[in-house]
Amino acid sequence: MNALVAPEPLPVALSAEKTSLLARLVDGLAADELYWIAAWSAARAGQARHGLRRADTAPATAPDPSRLTLLYGSQTGNAKRLAEQFAARSESGGLPVRLIRADAYPLRELAKETHLLIVISTQGEGEPPDDARGLVEFIAGKRAPRLTGLRYAVLGLGDSSYPQFCAIGRQLDERLAELGATRFAPLGEADVDIDASAAPWSVGALEQARQSLGTATPATVRSATVPAPGGRGLPSREQPFAASVLANQRIVSRDSARAVHHLELSLEGSGLRYAPGDAIGIRPTNPPALVGQWLQALRLDGGEDVAHAGRTLPLAQWLGQECELTRLTRAFVAAHAAASGHADLMRVLRTEHAAAFAGLLASHQPIDLLHRYPGPWRASDLVAALRPLTPRLYSIASSPRAVGEAEVHLTVARIEYEAFGAPHWGAASAFLSALAEDATVPVFIESNDRFRLPADDARDIIMIGPGTGVAPFRAFVQDRRETGARGRNWLFFGNRHFTRDFLYQVEWQEALKSGALHRLDLAFSRDGARKTYVQHRLREQGRQLYAWLEDGAHLYVCGDASHMARDVHDALIDIAVAHGGHSPDAASAWLADLLTQGRYVRDVY
Ligand code: NAP
């Protein structure tokens, strides 16, 4: 092939120089190879439009009956990644997609849509991700329009170790039908082994979207492997980088009940880049002692070869590196009930025992089930019944401006406790905290476009981060110091005891002294007769805090989603009532507005 025929219509024309360069590059390639390049380019274009550049600007195009509108709501980045992959596949297959983050979507356009796909996660107790709160409320609410002309599909993401698995996806799927819309594909539900569970659904949904839109499937593309956005051979979730450990230090005192470690990793040679607010993904290895507990409980031989999903590995390796051992799921409870035949387990799975079942999930790891309800397992059945071990995300605790681009820091609280007469661990925290210097750890970067410092560096920032939730704020303060940002920085930090658990104490004190940090408010919960939490400090400082927000400050919360983030949210509403003269409803609306504006953002899980 010597000449390039420009496809029509092209929204942006290539310069003559670039056209001739491209023509030289593709000269001699076969049709399949050219299709592959088309797919790769689409993936790169999706990444440029929706990843590296922010996807939070209003969409340039209006609903168009020949296109699929793809909305995503993502808290930790997984729904965003799936949506981008779906868009890339779709576009490379000839089906144009309008990909928009939920909070950038003009809700009034919903009534005009003809084809809509929503990819959305569910947070801990059945809540939507922050960027999709407005969309979910609008669709659920009275002002939602009739949608009889709409064809749609929903892909929900969730974690089946929580009772409210995929609740938001289910809720949207049902509500859209109630509003008169018709599914072009059935509801998809992806568990934490996201890619494995979403892939077959995506293939089917894409085909159904094409049929619904009347777009033919190009035969060559149907079989082509489309590279995921992230391309360029950069390390990814699927192919992580082996980062070496530069430092691993315990940063709480010896008598602290919970070990917290500060880790420094080298990204040298990886090509990985990050910004403050991003997370680092870690592929952990399960604690060897836990693997030992499993083999002993099941009387299985760790050396036994087990073939599964096209690979044969010794059972101990499956359990150590490939299978999820620390999170209990409904699927495993059901499988173990069937394998062991215990009536109690069968009973707890019934819908009328939902509360007891939720209690079981919250208090037991799978090993506890094996001990409490012994039953036989064959090694191959066991490996097939367990979920794949999924990567864990940690908020990055460093700014590349301060520590160099090839270095990344993280803050890890080691989960280790006794229960039911045996030691228990958290998989990733036990793995990371035990790493020796020079050991390597498989990592990738998970970007978080919502959790960013204000573009206008004159804005003040308020950071609320109890426990290891303080991690990204170390990155923020470092970054604002390096850039000489003009705005003020105010940190609320809390932990159990001042003398034992004051994470990064010396750094905060130095930052206060140097002017990199302007205010620091502390809440040590177990030092006094009554518990003191960060939200108590927020209330005490309510007047000033409200004034900062009214002056345009950005507010960030990081840490525990189930209790802390809710209590902080309630405290902020109370502050707006007390110091802004709002009614409770108006205060809630004021806070919701801050969320929508991206001036109140949370990194909580
Ligand atoms: P933690 O021990 O769970 O709690 C830290 C402090 O918060 C303690 O003083 C605790 O007090 C207090 N606290 C308890 N309930 C609270 C509530 N309702 N409101 C406000 N404060 C409350 O801290 P951690 O073990 O470091 O865990 C922090 C959380 O952050 C975890 O859920 C983790 O998943 C999440 N997270 C971590 C990262 C990271 O990069 N490491 C990033 C994002 C999120 P008492 O214990 O005395 O009650």
Side-chain angles (χ1 to χ4, degrees), residues 258 260 393-396 411-413 466-469 471-472 494-496 503 523-526 531-535 558-561 563-564 567-568 603-605:
R258 164 105 46 117
V260 176
L393 297 180
Y394 286 84
S395 309
I396 291 176
T411 316
V412 179
T468 55
N495 223 345
R496 295 179 184 183
L503 308 182
F524 289 98
S525 53
R526 302 191 190 186
K531 291 245 178 178
T532 309
Y533 290 151
V534 282
Q535 58 271 27
C558 180
D560 163 60
H563 300 107
M564 184 276 295
D567 294 347
V568 163
D603 175 9
V604 295
Y605 43 86

Side-chain angles (χ1 to χ4, degrees), residues 416-473:
E416 182 170 19
Y417 58 94
E418 283 283 319
F420 311 110
H424 289 64
W425 300 271
S429 68
F431 167 68
L432 287 168
S433 57
L435 283 174
E437 283 177 18
D438 286 339
T440 58
V441 46
V443 304
F444 58 95
I445 297 293
E446 186 83 28
S447 72
N448 185 353
D449 292 338
R450 261 179 79 80
F451 207 80
R452 287 279 184 258
L453 281 164
D456 172 4
D457 74 358
R459 296 279 183 131
D460 295 333
I461 60 170
I462 302 167
M463 301 163 280
I464 304 167
T468 55
V470 79
F473 303 137

Side-chain angles (χ1 to χ4, degrees), residues 68-86:
L68 175 68
T69 295
L70 202 173
L71 303 182
Y72 65 86
S74 189
Q75 192 75 30
T76 58
N78 287 319
K80 175 177 176 239
R81 184 170 52 81
L82 277 192
E84 286 173 349
Q85 284 174 3
F86 192 99

Side-chain angles (χ1 to χ4, degrees), residues 484-536:
R486 291 162 294 163
R488 293 169 297 171
N489 308 326
W490 187 353
L491 175 66
F492 288 85
F493 171 72
N495 223 345
R496 295 179 184 183
H497 297 285
F498 175 84
T499 51
R500 300 177 197 167
D501 309 305
F502 193 167
L503 308 182
Y504 303 112
Q505 175 181 5
V506 174
E507 291 187 23
W508 299 129
Q509 284 165 341
E510 278 172 2
L512 275 173
K513 216 188 285 173
S514 70
L517 185 64
H518 301 81
R519 295 198 56 165
L520 174 63
D521 280 270
L522 301 166
F524 289 98
S525 53
R526 302 191 190 186
D527 279 346
R530 293 228 312 257
K531 291 245 178 178
T532 309
Y533 290 151
V534 282
Q535 58 271 27
H536 296 118

Side-chain angles (χ1 to χ4, degrees), residues 44-312:
R44 287 286 302 274
Q47 183 191 28
R49 236 186 321 150
H50 307 293
L52 296 181
R53 269 189 255 139
R54 292 165 62 93
D56 56 1
T57 47
T61 50
D64 167 352
S66 65
R67 274 177 190 244
L68 175 68
T69 295
L70 202 173
L71 303 182
Y72 65 86
S74 189
Q75 192 75 30
T76 58
N78 287 319
K80 175 177 176 239
R81 184 170 52 81
L82 277 192
E84 286 173 349
Q85 284 174 3
F86 192 99
R89 284 201 178 93
S90 180
E91 294 203 335
S92 69
L95 173 58
V97 171
R98 198 166 70 115
L99 175 66
I100 312 169
R101 199 173 72 194
D103 59 358
Y105 179 65
L107 294 169
R108 62 181 181 284
E109 290 186 0
L110 186 60
K112 295 182 231 151
E113 296 291 355
T114 59
H115 286 82
L116 177 69
L117 171 63
I118 301 180
V119 180
I120 192 162
S121 61
T122 295
Q123 303 314 300
E125 310 208 2
E127 301 207 350
D130 279 339
D131 59 6
R133 275 172 193 272
L135 177 78
V136 171
E137 276 168 24
F138 178 72
I139 291 178
K142 288 194 192 125
R143 285 161 53 210
R146 291 292 299 161
L147 297 171
T148 42
L150 176 69
R151 295 180 59 76
Y152 75 98
V154 177
L155 173 61
L157 275 70
D159 179 343
S160 62
S161 61
Y162 287 87
Q164 296 296 328
F165 174 59
C166 286
I168 298 297
R170 289 177 193 173
Q171 185 186 319
L172 285 178
D173 179 65
E174 281 167 25
R175 176 67 177 152
L176 289 171
E178 214 175 272
L179 293 168
T182 315
R183 293 177 185 88
F184 67 75
L187 171 69
E189 294 186 349
D191 204 344
V192 290
D193 53 336
I194 305 161
D195 298 288
S197 44
W201 184 90
S202 298
V203 170
L206 184 53
E207 194 48 46
Q208 281 151 330
R210 269 203 204 99
Q211 283 170 12
S212 186
L213 276 148
T215 318
T217 312
T220 322
V221 171
R222 203 182 294 146
S223 60
T225 309
V226 179
R232 268 194 271 170
L234 276 183
S236 62
R237 169 181 290 259
E238 292 72 28
Q239 289 185 327
F241 173 71
S244 56
V245 178
L246 301 171
N248 180 359
Q249 287 167 335
R250 185 180 163 115
I251 53 167
V252 288
S253 76
R254 252 188 232 161
D255 51 352
S256 173
R258 164 105 46 117
V260 176
H261 285 243
H262 170 77
L263 274 98
E264 300 183 353
L265 306 178
S266 170
L267 299 178
E268 192 72 56
S270 69
L272 288 171
R273 294 280 177 275
Y274 68 93
D278 286 344
I280 184 158
I282 305 285
R283 291 185 67 90
T285 296
N286 282 313
L290 179 61
V291 174
Q293 286 182 3
W294 277 67
L295 294 173
Q296 200 181 6
L298 296 171
R299 297 177 207 286
L300 290 172
D301 173 8
E304 179 183 344
D305 275 342
V306 176
H308 174 65
R311 288 190 302 161
T312 301

Side-chain angles (χ1 to χ4, degrees), residues 346-481:
M346 309 265 191
R347 205 170 307 118
V348 81
L349 283 160
R350 293 204 207 116
T351 41
E352 66 266 31
H353 297 301
F357 182 68
L360 182 82
L361 287 190
S363 57
H364 285 57
Q365 287 196 353
I367 185 70
D368 302 319
L369 221 62
L370 303 182
H371 285 146
R372 195 164 155 191
Y373 304 101
W377 273 99
R378 283 197 343 208
S380 54
D381 294 340
L382 179 71
V383 168
L386 290 168
R387 282 194 318 197
L389 182 55
T390 48
R392 309 295 203 261
L393 297 180
Y394 286 84
S395 309
I396 291 176
S398 54
S399 158
R401 288 195 169 92
V403 303
E405 281 184 343
E407 197 170 311
V408 65
H409 300 178
L410 55 159
T411 316
V412 179
R414 181 179 168 92
I415 298 175
E416 182 170 19
Y417 58 94
E418 283 283 319
F420 311 110
H424 289 64
W425 300 271
S429 68
F431 167 68
L432 287 168
S433 57
L435 283 174
E437 283 177 18
D438 286 339
T440 58
V441 46
V443 304
F444 58 95
I445 297 293
E446 186 83 28
S447 72
N448 185 353
D449 292 338
R450 261 179 79 80
F451 207 80
R452 287 279 184 258
L453 281 164
D456 172 4
D457 74 358
R459 296 279 183 131
D460 295 333
I461 60 170
I462 302 167
M463 301 163 280
I464 304 167
T468 55
V470 79
F473 303 137
R474 183 175 182 266
F476 277 15
V477 172
Q478 283 184 351
D479 205 75
R480 298 255 287 186
R481 186 188 62 213

